[in-house]
Amino acid sequence: MDFGQGYVSKEHLELHESATESADPSSVSPLQISPKSPRSIKSPKSPKSPRSPKEYDNSNEKKKNTDLDDYKKKAIIVVEEYFTTDDVVATINEIRELGKPQYGYYFVKKLVSISMDRHDKEKEMAAILLSALYADTFEPAQVYKGFSKLVESADDLIVDIPDTVDVLALFLARAVVDDILPPAFLKKHMASLPKDSKGVEVLKKAEKSYLSAPLHVEIIERRWGGSKNMTVDDVKVRINNFLKEYVVSGDKKEVFRCIKDLKVPFFHHEIVKRALIMAMERRQAEGPLLDLLKEAAEDGFINSSQMSKGFGRLIDTVDDLSLDIPNARGVLQQLISQAASEGWLCVSSLKSFSVDPEKNSIKDSTATNFKVKTQSIIQEYFLSGDISEVNSCLEQENSSNCAELNAIFVKKLITLAMDRKNREKEMASVLLSSLCFPADDVVSGFVKLIESADDTALDNPVVVEDLAMFLARAVVDEVLAPQHLVEIGTQCLGPDSIRNKVLQMAKSTLNARLSGERILRCWGGGGSSRPGWAVEDVKDKIGKLLEEYESGGEIREACRCMKELGMPFFHHEVVKKALVAIMEKKNERLWGLLKECFETGLITMNQMVKGFGRVAESLDDLALDVPDAKNQFTYYVEQAKIQGWLENSFSFSKQEHANATENSTS
């Protein structure tokens, strides 16, 4: 039956299209599909199945339709519950329980379309949930597809939602601002839609009215109230106010009413933290405040997870509190002991926290003094850009090269950089790669950063993105190895979503195509105020250093020039150019350079694989100038395997096939 002839309803047509789009394209060969007749689709015969190919395909499609239909019903329930509970974490868990990530695009579409017909509060909630789902729960491609479906259905949405053009345009602009949708989305879809469609109006409105406006980021983020009409600072002020009033009045019912009115159950750890600090500062208020927390825990106003998190945050900052509160560690230990003995705090969920006054006083004073001096060193560096001066100061302040002080420096450097502009962030990454700290010390620094991410997030809303990029940049700069991300994860990951997000985002960034170049240039590239190398400039420099070495240059000089480029992620270009030169000129001197670079760790196996892979992709073009290019390349691949540069599984014929397949599907 031809779906275009009006024999089926629009809902069934959409269901059929969704099932078709979610099918695995690799499971059906393009050669088996006839464009004239949908019934001619064939699947490979299976001796184990008595059914015919046609029956198998029909039953398979029915199953997919049923799966999608079930997913749609459950997705709507999850969306409605989210708008009622406003619990992002619980909603994400429910989505994960649904499974079927291949239908994530439908959830995106339904979440936005339902919120479009609600108040600004629900629209803001939808935008927040989408940001939380992106990359972690839903693949970027699913979010992209969901917005594509929304734009395509704008003509239908406007029947029930008259302001569809304006609202959907704002959702698109918000998605671009929140970095869950690429700006290129707008132009790409504008070219594919009919010029008179509402979808085109939506795209134009998003681009011209919102994204092109002065201060558009702030305007877009605040359009629906931002943070559900209450900023983090507003919440902090309200918490502080009702705790102060409670200390004076002792009215617990009023406090519990205020907690309910806040409607931020995921932020109750802030109440715990502030109540504890107030109890430590005003010892006469300690009893009433602990009674308040105890009753809040027993009556369910503050759950055990938020209670533990509040105590945990205070443990993280107790050294700083020691500057204002004498014996802060001892006082906090007493509060933890009392809460645990009364049964409203689970001590096993907290980090180890011991008090040895004599030992810790020395340790704390040393660390505190180092932190103060470190801040001055870093601030001076941001002004001067003098790395050698930083090295000199560190040698003086940390002459014993203490691992813990190195970790403190790493944490302080990145913390100060995150609160500044891209120039300082780039300078921080350049300094980190120049200090030559032991990798374990850098790992400890990042662990400290991620453990305090919750507190940092209160002042820096983009802490997840910043920390993830610093982590990814450290890997690209080879300050850390990829396996160090696993080590960092085992040391600081827990149920906390922010910590999970940092690690997941760093890994996703590193796994993206051309990630090395993008990460190196995320803050401008080059360090200090330099703009960084252009790719063509780097290629030219690599070509010249190879020519110089080939004509009799020293191997040390060639290696030094490669290091000075500061682009280890681009060393595959060295491998490619060296291999091409070897095959063209029949001169194996460059092979010795590759051997030296691999043995000294200057070129990693990953870069070797990429370099050989790029040559494999260009063999057909290379054969025009070098007739025996394929034979030569086969020989050098085998030699590279013998040398240990490539895995035995490396096969350039497979790579060519994969490349051809990718080209045919694009």
Side-chain angles (χ1 to χ4, degrees):
M1 182 181 293
D2 186 355
F3 286 133
Q5 301 300 318
Y7 293 106
V8 293
S9 68
K10 183 176 181 181
E11 181 180 353
H12 283 83
L13 177 58
E14 181 183 352
L15 191 64
H16 174 81
E17 290 174 343
S18 300
T20 304
E21 289 166 356
S22 63
D24 183 1
S26 63
S27 64
V28 181
S29 169
L31 298 176
Q32 295 170 321
I33 300 176
S34 169
K36 295 181 180 179
S37 175
R39 293 190 178 90
S40 64
I41 299 175
K42 298 179 181 179
S43 62
K45 293 183 179 180
S46 172
K48 297 180 181 179
S49 175
R51 293 181 295 176
S52 68
K54 181 177 177 180
E55 290 172 335
Y56 181 83
D57 283 347
N58 288 339
S59 63
N60 196 34
E61 185 169 326
K62 284 179 182 178
K63 183 179 183 303
K64 287 177 180 176
N65 289 349
T66 303
D67 286 347
L68 179 58
D69 202 26
D70 290 342
Y71 185 89
K72 285 184 174 183
K73 293 175 183 176
K74 292 176 181 176
I76 292 172
I77 294 172
V78 172
V79 171
E80 294 290 357
E81 284 183 356
Y82 170 61
F83 287 149
T84 302
T85 64
D86 194 10
D87 192 332
V88 174
V89 176
T91 303
I92 291 175
N93 289 334
E94 287 181 14
I95 293 169
R96 287 174 177 165
E97 287 175 6
L98 286 180
K100 300 181 176 58
Q102 69 271 28
Y103 299 141
Y105 72 90
Y106 179 80
F107 188 90
V108 173
K109 178 184 176 185
K110 187 54 65 176
L111 173 66
V112 174
S113 60
I114 292 177
S115 69
M116 285 171 63
D117 202 26
R118 303 286 181 96
H119 297 295
D120 284 354
K121 176 190 173 186
E122 285 79 9
K123 294 183 180 76
E124 177 66 20
M125 287 171 67
I128 290 171
L129 181 58
L130 284 174
S131 293
L133 291 169
Y134 181 78
D136 189 17
T137 305
F138 288 159
E139 291 292 326
Q142 291 294 319
V143 176
Y144 189 100
K145 185 176 178 180
F147 276 102
S148 298
K149 294 286 184 185
L150 282 162
V151 173
E152 290 165 6
S153 61
D155 290 292
D156 298 327
L157 289 171
I158 204 167
V159 175
D160 300 313
I161 308 171
D163 56 349
T164 288
V165 172
D166 185 61
V167 178
L168 186 52
L170 190 51
F171 263 111
L172 286 175
R174 177 65 178 267
V176 172
V177 167
D178 288 344
D179 287 329
I180 64 173
L181 205 61
F185 175 95
L186 305 177
K187 290 184 179 179
K188 182 177 179 181
H189 281 73
M190 209 174 291
S192 63
L193 292 171
K195 292 183 179 180
D196 58 345
S197 68
K198 292 296 178 185
V200 170
E201 288 185 37
V202 169
L203 295 169
K204 288 181 178 178
K205 179 94 175 176
E207 185 176 25
K208 296 180 180 178
S209 300
Y210 292 120
L211 292 172
S212 299
L215 302 175
H216 66 274
V217 173
E218 186 174 348
I219 293 171
I220 291 168
E221 287 182 340
R222 295 286 182 181
R223 182 62 182 268
W224 293 321
S227 302
K228 298 180 279 295
N229 296 314
M230 199 186 308
T231 66
V232 171
D233 287 335
D234 293 336
V235 176
K236 285 182 179 180
V237 169
R238 290 182 63 175
I239 290 172
N240 208 45
N241 287 341
F242 69 62
L243 286 176
K244 285 181 178 178
E245 289 177 11
Y246 167 72
V247 170
V248 175
S249 67
D251 189 345
K252 293 178 185 173
K253 289 184 179 179
E254 178 62 18
V255 174
F256 296 151
R257 185 191 65 78
C258 292
I259 292 174
K260 279 185 177 180
D261 287 347
L262 281 178
K263 295 181 180 178
V264 286
F266 55 87
F267 202 58
H268 284 172
H269 55 80
E270 180 70 16
I271 299 172
V272 178
K273 179 187 174 186
R274 288 185 174 269
L276 291 172
I277 292 175
M278 200 173 287
M280 293 169 71
E281 290 176 335
R282 309 178 185 181
R283 298 310 299 274
Q284 71 276 13
E286 178 182 316
L289 286 167
L290 289 182
D291 285 342
L292 175 68
L293 292 178
K294 179 183 177 182
E295 192 166 328
E298 291 173 346
D299 293 350
F301 288 102
I302 299 177
N303 63 38
S304 59
S305 173
Q306 292 291 310
M307 190 66 72
S308 297
K309 191 172 179 181
F311 272 91
R313 288 180 60 202
L314 201 56
I315 290 173
D316 289 337
T317 58
V318 70
D319 289 334
D320 295 329
L321 283 174
S322 298
L323 301 175
D324 302 313
I325 304 173
N327 192 26
R329 277 181 169 269
V331 175
L332 179 56
Q333 182 65 60
Q334 291 174 10
L335 298 181
I336 291 173
S337 300
Q338 182 175 339
S341 64
E342 292 176 355
W344 51 277
L345 176 65
C346 178
V347 179
S348 62
S349 63
L350 299 178
K351 301 171 192 173
S352 59
F353 180 70
S354 59
V355 180
D356 184 345
E358 186 174 348
K359 180 181 176 183
N360 278 299
S361 61
I362 300 172
K363 183 179 175 182
D364 289 349
S365 62
T366 303
T368 302
N369 290 335
F370 184 75
K371 285 179 184 178
V372 173
K373 291 176 181 177
T374 288
Q375 182 154 338
S376 299
I377 292 170
I378 295 169
Q379 288 173 340
E380 181 65 29
Y381 166 66
F382 285 154
L383 293 174
S384 67
D386 191 340
I387 293 176
S388 61
E389 179 64 21
V390 176
N391 274 314
S392 176
C393 291
L394 283 176
E395 286 176 7
Q396 184 178 347
E397 300 299 336
N398 185 17
S399 56
S400 60
N401 197 27
C402 172
E404 187 172 349
L405 295 185
N406 285 342
I408 289 173
F409 185 87
V410 171
K411 179 186 177 185
K412 199 70 173 176
L413 173 65
I414 295 175
T415 301
L416 290 175
M418 286 195 299
D419 204 26
R420 300 196 176 211
K421 296 182 179 179
N422 284 350
R423 174 181 176 274
E424 285 77 11
K425 291 174 184 173
E426 175 65 23
M427 291 177 72
S429 287
V430 171
L431 178 59
L432 195 59
S433 63
S434 304
L435 290 175
C436 299
F437 281 165
D440 289 343
D441 297 355
V442 180
V443 166
S444 298
F446 273 107
V447 168
K448 290 176 180 290
L449 280 162
I450 295 175
E451 284 178 344
S452 61
D454 296 300
D455 292 333
T456 310
L458 302 179
D459 301 313
N460 180 8
V462 293
V463 65
V464 173
E465 292 83 350
D466 281 352
L467 270 182
M469 192 57 76
F470 269 112
L471 258 181
R473 177 63 180 271
V475 173
V476 168
D477 287 341
E478 298 189 348
V479 175
L480 297 176
Q483 59 264 32
H484 283 130
L485 294 185
V486 178
E487 184 181 342
I488 291 171
T490 58
Q491 289 190 47
C492 64
L493 278 183
D496 192 296
S497 61
I498 288 185
R499 299 178 187 181
N500 267 311
K501 280 184 179 180
V502 172
L503 268 295
Q504 290 301 321
M505 188 172 289
K507 291 175 183 176
S508 299
T509 303
L510 286 164
N511 291 333
R513 188 171 177 271
L514 299 177
S515 61
E517 293 180 45
R518 189 172 68 84
I519 291 168
L520 189 86
R521 303 186 188 288
C522 62
W523 295 311
S528 191
S529 58
R530 291 186 297 156
W533 302 114
V535 173
E536 292 304 320
D537 291 339
V538 176
K539 288 183 178 181
D540 185 54
K541 289 178 179 294
I542 289 172
K544 287 179 179 177
L545 77 85
L546 291 177
E547 287 175 10
E548 186 176 332
Y549 175 73
E550 191 180 19
S551 61
E554 292 185 3
I555 200 164
R556 287 186 179 179
E557 179 64 17
C559 292
R560 186 188 65 78
C561 290
M562 286 174 59
K563 286 180 181 178
E564 282 188 352
L565 285 175
M567 300 178 75
F569 65 88
F570 204 57
H571 285 171
H572 56 78
E573 179 73 14
V574 177
V575 179
K576 179 193 172 187
K577 284 187 179 294
L579 282 172
V580 171
I582 291 168
M583 290 190 289
E584 285 180 341
K585 302 175 183 179
K586 306 290 192 296
N587 183 348
E588 293 197 358
R589 179 173 166 78
L590 288 172
W591 188 262
L593 175 63
L594 292 181
K595 181 180 179 182
E596 177 69 16
C597 289
F598 183 80
E599 290 176 351
T600 58
L602 187 57
I603 296 181
T604 62
M605 180 179 285
N606 183 45
Q607 293 296 309
M608 280 288 186
V609 172
K610 283 186 178 180
F612 273 84
R614 290 181 61 201
V615 175
E617 291 170 3
S618 60
L619 272 180
D620 290 334
D621 294 332
L622 188 59
L624 299 176
D625 300 315
V626 184
D628 63 339
K630 290 187 179 180
N631 291 334
Q632 284 197 65
F633 185 66
T634 302
Y635 168 76
Y636 287 117
V637 166
E638 292 306 314
Q639 289 299 308
K641 289 179 180 178
I642 293 171
Q643 298 280 355
W645 305 353
L646 301 175
E647 296 283 356
N648 288 328
S649 58
F650 179 88
S651 172
F652 69 89
S653 59
K654 289 181 181 178
Q655 192 144 354
E656 284 183 314
H657 174 71
N659 190 53
T661 304
E662 183 179 343
N663 291 337
S664 66
T665 57
S666 60

